[in-house]
Amino acid sequence: MQNLFIRNVRPMGADPTSVTIRDGRIAGYGQEAGGGAEILDTEILDAGGAILIPGLVEAHTHMDKTLLGMGWYRNEVGPRLIDKIDNERAQRRLLGIDPARQSARQAVLAASLGTTHIRTHVDVDTEVGVAGIEGVLATRERYRDLVDIELVAFPQSGMLIRPGTVELMDRALQLGAQVVGGLDPAAIDRDPKGHLDVVFGLAERHGVPVDIHLHEAAELGAFSMELIIERTRALGLQGKVTISHAFCLGMTDQDIVAALIDALAEARIHILTTAPASRPAPAVKRLVEAGIVVAAGTDGVRDTWGPYNHPDMLERAVLVGLRNNLRRDDEVALALDTCTHGGARMMGLEGYGLDPGDRADLVLVEGETLAEAVVSRRPRRLVLKGGRVVARDGVALVEAP
Ligand SMILES: [Zn+2]
């Protein structure tokens, strides 16, 4: 494997140094680490003072159904959640959304933007079966040197209301999905106990973590959240459960929110936020201060749900900052942390970070300071995956289909 010696890098915006990458990991910092005889089989690069950060972590997206590279989708979808779900199932057929091709397009785009790890929720339902899982598994394999992809088996259309879905979820986990998903236990399946018993039952049987989409607002969401917390504790799944969106934590009744935050922290349940501009949302700083792991994700990218999202995790850090009124430099760093270490902790990534011995999944970003690099989000100077250069000046070195 090619070794790398990169001069003139500033880890997290600190003073310039050099970094040596050997066998896909960070060997050390400073001139001496790359010196001596080893320099002969080492590629030498100059970062020109760029800031070194660990690879960006996209902790929640839907790669199987992005419309990237397809014609513009004219969105005339109804306002309810179920309108979007039903429409999407219909459009999947009409538009010919190929999960392997579409997930590959997003994987390459994300890598060009510095993302080195992705958790993607992949639809499992009685129409598509496990075809989405198979397509994204093919992308995971094909692009394994570009980006790590973790699949969540996701019952987007509901589970108990569509008989046969539970068996397909089981099959998806057998095929290689690494996480069991869930969705609004009360609002979609209308059977919160039944839905969560199945989700946690699958987690136990397959020994996998849980990641549940919880859009349910206010008291209804709080009720479902309490049921998730109970099951996490009862099954000893502390540290293995994520609640995505968790809009109910943005509710106005602060007494209920405070009690939920305490219970989430105690059960070591992680919270994933997209920092939505148009919905109540969890207060990131408050959760972090309570000791809760907070990760960030893009959610669907340019799909039938909405036209806006772009899988740039520096842009997501800006959105987290805007949504949470984070202005100071240390607060912008916190917003970025949800897109790096927060996601890594949520996903339980081994060897993630900038310490010697950590995996060389790294990004060089441009800016005078870390905060400037985030807000200006210029094309990434260099992206390394497992110690190899996978993107340069904003362009991935492999082509998307
Ligand atoms: Zn989602």
Side-chain angles (χ1 to χ4, degrees):
M1 180 175 275
Q2 175 90 60
N3 296 325
L4 277 177
F5 180 71
I6 310 175
R7 281 196 192 104
N8 209 4
V9 297
R10 293 186 297 132
M12 301 306 283
D15 290 340
T17 182
S18 56
V19 59
T20 300
I21 314 288
R22 197 179 298 134
D23 300 327
R25 295 195 180 249
I26 298 172
Y29 293 93
Q31 188 67 38
E32 65 286 355
E38 286 162 351
I39 207 85
L40 290 172
D41 31 321
T42 297
E43 185 183 351
I44 300 170
L45 300 171
D46 194 303
I51 297 176
L52 181 70
I53 63 171
L56 294 161
V57 180
E58 164 69 85
H60 183 125
T61 187
H62 296 266
M63 300 170 83
D64 56 317
K65 48 198 191 182
T66 175
L67 302 177
L68 282 169
M70 298 176 66
W72 184 255
Y73 172 68
R74 187 179 173 82
N75 190 323
E76 294 172 321
V77 187
R80 299 169 306 163
L81 185 61
I82 198 70
D83 296 329
K84 298 177 178 73
I85 292 171
D86 290 343
N87 174 68
E88 181 172 65
R89 264 200 330 278
Q91 294 299 334
R92 207 163 50 199
R93 277 192 312 276
L94 293 169
L95 299 173
I97 304 173
D98 175 352
R101 181 191 65 209
Q102 294 310 113
S103 58
R105 286 176 178 168
Q106 188 173 330
V108 173
L109 176 58
S112 76
L113 295 162
T115 293
T116 56
H117 297 83
I118 297 174
R119 174 179 282 187
T120 188
H121 296 250
V122 184
D123 285 10
V124 173
D125 67 47
T126 51
E127 262 186 46
V128 75
V130 292
I133 295 282
E134 289 168 335
V136 180
L137 282 171
T139 292
R140 181 176 79 185
E141 189 56 32
R142 185 170 166 200
Y143 294 91
R144 61 182 315 136
D145 294 334
L146 184 71
V147 60
D148 280 324
I149 299 174
E150 181 181 67
L151 286 81
V152 184
F154 177 49
Q156 171 78 82
S157 293
M159 207 157 50
L160 305 180
I161 49 169
R162 296 174 73 89
T165 307
V166 176
E167 291 74 13
L168 289 165
M169 290 284 289
D170 196 58
R171 176 95 187 107
L173 293 162
Q174 283 169 24
L175 284 171
Q178 299 116 307
V179 181
V180 58
L183 172 72
D184 292 343
I188 299 291
D189 266 358
R190 299 182 176 271
D191 179 359
K193 181 180 182 306
H195 181 92
L196 292 173
D197 285 348
V198 169
V199 169
F200 281 86
L202 287 166
E204 246 198 325
R205 185 150 72 250
H206 291 274
V208 293
V210 172
D211 190 337
I212 298 176
H213 278 66
L214 190 61
H215 310 91
E216 292 166 4
E219 279 81 0
L220 183 61
F223 169 68
S224 292
M225 191 172 270
E226 285 168 2
L227 296 184
I228 294 168
I229 294 166
E230 276 173 26
R231 282 161 179 73
T232 301
R233 281 206 196 109
L235 295 172
L237 286 175
Q238 291 89 341
K240 303 271 189 226
V241 174
T242 297
I243 300 177
S244 284
H245 304 308
F247 294 150
C248 64
L249 292 177
M251 71 194 283
T252 46
D253 189 329
Q254 288 304 305
D255 291 341
I256 298 180
V257 172
L260 286 172
I261 288 176
D262 286 348
L264 290 167
E266 197 261 319
R268 287 190 283 127
I269 292 174
H270 314 314
I271 297 295
L272 178 292
T273 187
T274 62
S278 55
R279 301 292 290 269
V284 166
K285 201 171 177 182
R286 185 174 175 192
L287 295 186
V288 169
E289 284 170 356
I292 295 171
V293 172
V294 180
T298 306
D299 217 352
V301 171
R302 289 264 311 273
D303 59 15
T304 64
W305 290 66
Y308 296 113
N309 285 335
H310 185 54
D312 181 351
M313 294 310 292
L314 289 189
E315 182 178 292
R316 191 57 41 184
V318 168
L319 295 170
V320 168
L322 283 168
R323 184 68 180 80
N324 290 275
N325 196 22
L326 305 177
R327 295 160 185 263
R328 297 159 45 107
D329 283 48
D330 58 343
E331 292 175 330
V332 176
L334 172 69
L336 176 63
D337 200 66
T338 65
C339 303
T340 53
H341 289 278
R345 289 173 68 193
M346 183 195 104
M347 291 167 63
L349 301 181
E350 178 270 326
Y352 179 88
L354 291 184
D355 291 333
D358 285 341
R359 291 177 187 275
D361 297 337
L362 304 169
V363 193
L364 285 173
V365 295
E366 301 204 37
E368 186 184 330
T369 67
L370 199 57
E372 196 207 351
V374 170
V375 301
S376 59
R377 53 188 188 281
R378 292 199 278 275
R380 310 306 113 88
R381 172 81 63 94
L382 201 68
V383 183
L384 300 183
K385 178 66 187 168
R388 293 159 44 141
V389 177
V390 296
R392 221 183 266 271
D393 297 321
V395 180
L397 301 189
V398 298
E399 271 184 49

